[in-house]
Amino acid sequence: MSRKRFKVAAVAGALLLAVTACSQGSTTKQPDAGGSQSSGPAHIKIAYQQWGPGVVMKNFLTGVKSEYEAANPGSTVEILPIVASENDYYTKLQLMMRSPNTAPDVVYEDTFLINSDITAGYLKPLDDYINKWDQWGQFQDTAKGAAKALDGKTYGVPDGTDTRALWYNKQIFAKAGLPADWQPKTWDDVLSAARTIKQKVPGVIPMNVYSGKPMGEASAMQGFEMLLYGTKDTLYNNEQQKWVVGSQGFKDSLNFIKTIYTEGLAPSPKQALDPNMGSKVGTELLPGGKLGIALDGSWIYGNWQKTGAKPWPQWTEVMGQTAMPTQDGGGKGKVSLSGGWTWAIPAKSKNPDAAWNLIKTLQTQKNATKYATDGAQIAVRKDVAADATYKNSAKSTQFFTDLVSVTVYRPAFAEYPKVSNEIITAMEAVMTGQSTPDKAAKNYDEAVEGIVGKDKTTSGQ
């Protein structure tokens, strides 16, 4: 789960040269829109983000590749891992999709980018395929909605969703004299626990909230928006259909970021601005007993499973989960943000019919269950959600699934990636001490007005 374009010009030249060198494959006929087989093999390229040392997606795609090639003699699947931070992944993927010479046939697409990528002409609508697919009815309506664009068409097949909450180390809590069954009711409760850890358990980072540009959308969504949506304000006013500026909730959220960094309750700015911070939280800091509280996603335990990057059998006893509270305990009392990823077909794919057939293979009940289980995803297929293997796959599955009842989705508009980038800019300015929360919020307001137009903004509460 973004918008900073790291050295786009330099990346474009190198990336396009590298990808062009890959085999372009056959363009002969393959399965039609309904999925029926037709003559001729095809070479299909599938691109995804290789995130840190994790191998779950790599292993999953390798298995699907073997399955597809066995069922389609002569066809080949080329797996293209894009080893990059989240921001760089989005940039590189968009560069690849610009040209038929470099466009993959299947891409792993974050739902928040669907509308902006459609506006740029990067994605192919899938409705003609989906309407003839007997498995589409197994997908939950909320998941379908996340993959649907503002034009009413569907541009991706979801493979899972997620929720977010507070993970905490019970061993560190015990040393700090904090309860094993921790249930904070307000932001002050969260800060109080972090301060206690700092005082009583030296050498441990009390709390991590992703912040700053290198962590991209993780900063905006997992960090800032998990705070903002616990206030009385939001990013977008759905009733007025306008973006919110001048909100007290925005300033209060930046003040929370300022507090944890100025009081030493968070990683140092240097640590936090490491593009690999997300990987380090899951594979080093939490399993190593070096982090007390992490505002993070439902999937993080995937690192600790047998198939994960850092197998850690003890995690079920050591790690606790609790909902992120609202600012003052009001509203629903807790907050979560949800996102998700989809398998999509670039508009300039040379083999769209074969690509669709590969997506169907990726999303059979068997394969969807395997990925949801190994990848620590919240299932989006009804039959997977009911599967005993999935339901019993982890101690935390039910907890994070229950958060769907309070979850919030990001505004699904083409402008969101640019707005998100301004959130990240404001966070970084505050965490590094370059700006006060009030000044950073003012700069954000002005930037949003420039992005969407002043007439498409409204004042917060």
Side-chain angles (χ1 to χ4, degrees):
M1 143 78 156
S2 305
R3 276 42 59 188
K4 184 178 178 184
R5 306 306 183 213
F6 290 115
K7 302 178 182 178
V8 170
V11 171
L15 179 69
L16 293 177
L17 178 63
V19 177
T20 303
C22 296
S23 170
Q24 296 304 320
S26 169
T27 58
T28 53
K29 291 181 67 179
Q30 258 287 296
D32 63 21
S36 61
Q37 299 293 314
S38 57
S39 62
H43 181 76
I44 313 164
K45 297 176 291 181
I46 180 169
Y48 74 101
Q49 181 190 15
Q50 175 60 43
W51 186 72
V55 295
V56 171
M57 180 63 85
K58 176 184 176 182
N59 292 341
F60 173 67
L61 292 180
T62 300
V64 171
K65 166 185 165 72
S66 297
E67 180 181 342
Y68 184 87
E69 290 176 349
N72 298 271
S75 291
T76 55
V77 176
E78 181 181 359
I79 301 172
L80 302 176
I82 299 177
V83 183
S85 66
E86 199 162 279
N87 276 352
D88 277 347
Y89 172 69
Y90 300 140
T91 301
K92 291 178 179 180
L93 188 61
Q94 289 167 341
L95 286 170
M96 292 170 76
M97 292 192 291
R98 288 179 182 176
S99 167
N101 292 325
T102 56
D105 300 294
V106 179
V107 296
Y108 204 38
E109 176 87 359
D110 196 327
T111 53
F112 91 93
L113 278 177
I114 282 180
N115 279 295
S116 60
D117 279 356
I118 292 166
T119 300
Y122 294 148
L123 299 179
K124 176 181 179 65
L126 304 181
D127 301 78
D128 287 345
Y129 297 113
I130 287 170
N131 290 339
K132 299 175 183 177
W133 188 31
D134 62 1
Q135 294 298 298
W136 189 236
Q138 285 289 349
F139 288 78
Q140 297 171 358
D141 289 341
T142 53
K144 291 179 180 179
K148 184 175 289 189
L150 296 176
D151 63 6
K153 298 178 182 179
T154 298
Y155 288 80
V157 174
D159 75 336
T161 188
D162 47 46
T163 51
R164 287 149 179 79
L166 294 167
W167 290 86
Y168 63 98
N169 187 305
K170 294 180 182 180
Q171 294 176 343
I172 293 174
F173 267 50
K175 292 177 182 178
L178 293 167
D181 184 21
W182 183 47
Q183 297 185 30
K185 302 300 182 185
T186 66
W187 288 3
D188 284 342
D189 291 345
V190 175
L191 293 172
S192 176
R195 290 170 180 138
T196 299
I197 292 171
K198 181 184 179 184
Q199 179 184 3
K200 297 186 177 181
V201 193
V204 168
I205 299 170
M207 183 177 189
N208 182 62
V209 177
Y210 294 119
S211 186
K213 297 175 184 177
M215 283 303 297
E217 186 61 13
S219 295
M221 183 184 185
Q222 265 158 256
F224 190 84
E225 291 170 46
M226 282 290 291
L227 294 166
L228 178 63
Y229 282 89
T231 72
K232 295 178 181 178
D233 287 302
T234 60
L235 282 180
Y236 187 84
N237 187 310
N238 287 308
E239 292 182 0
Q240 297 182 30
Q241 297 186 342
K242 294 182 177 182
W243 293 89
V244 178
V245 296
S247 78
Q248 187 59 46
F250 197 96
K251 295 176 184 177
D252 290 348
S253 299
L254 287 178
N255 267 303
F256 187 100
I257 297 299
K258 176 185 176 182
T259 298
I260 62 174
Y261 279 96
T262 57
E263 292 189 19
L265 305 178
S268 68
K270 181 179 179 181
Q271 288 175 300
L273 295 173
D274 181 345
N276 297 312
M277 186 59 177
S279 174
K280 289 182 176 180
V281 167
T283 61
E284 297 177 20
L285 298 179
L286 286 175
K290 297 296 183 182
L291 175 61
I293 305 167
L295 180 55
D296 222 302
S298 52
W299 64 87
I300 197 170
Y301 73 85
N303 290 291
W304 311 325
Q305 300 191 104
K306 291 180 181 179
T307 55
K310 180 69 175 180
W312 183 28
Q314 299 83 6
W315 80 267
T316 56
E317 303 303 322
V318 176
M319 296 303 300
Q321 310 89 36
T322 191
M324 179 66 186
T326 55
Q327 182 177 16
D328 57 7
K332 295 180 179 178
K334 52 189 176 182
V335 64
S336 177
L337 266 288
S338 283
W341 292 71
T342 68
W343 292 109
I345 300 176
K348 295 181 180 178
S349 162
K350 291 185 176 181
N351 296 296
D353 290 346
W356 172 249
N357 204 45
L358 178 60
I359 289 176
K360 290 201 302 177
T361 305
L362 285 162
Q363 282 300 300
T364 62
Q365 179 184 357
K366 175 178 70 71
N367 287 336
T369 301
K370 178 174 176 54
Y371 184 66
T373 302
D374 293 349
Q377 294 288 303
I378 294 175
V380 293
R381 282 185 64 124
K382 300 169 188 175
D383 48 8
V384 174
D387 187 276
T389 301
Y390 165 74
K391 290 196 293 184
N392 298 324
S393 61
K395 186 178 179 180
S396 61
T397 299
Q398 194 61 52
F399 167 79
F400 282 105
T401 300
D402 289 345
L403 287 176
V404 172
S405 65
V406 299
T407 204
V408 177
Y409 289 86
R410 292 161 290 181
F413 302 104
E415 301 92 345
Y416 175 79
K418 294 180 181 179
V419 172
S420 174
N421 191 55
E422 296 305 327
I423 293 172
I424 300 164
T425 299
M427 294 179 82
E428 185 166 315
V430 170
M431 69 181 282
T432 58
Q434 297 177 22
S435 179
T436 64
D438 284 356
K439 177 61 177 174
K442 185 174 185 295
N443 290 341
Y444 166 82
D445 292 343
E446 293 173 352
V448 170
E449 289 177 354
I451 292 168
V452 306
K454 194 168 184 178
D455 61 325
K456 293 184 180 179
T457 65
T458 186
S459 297
Q461 299 185 38

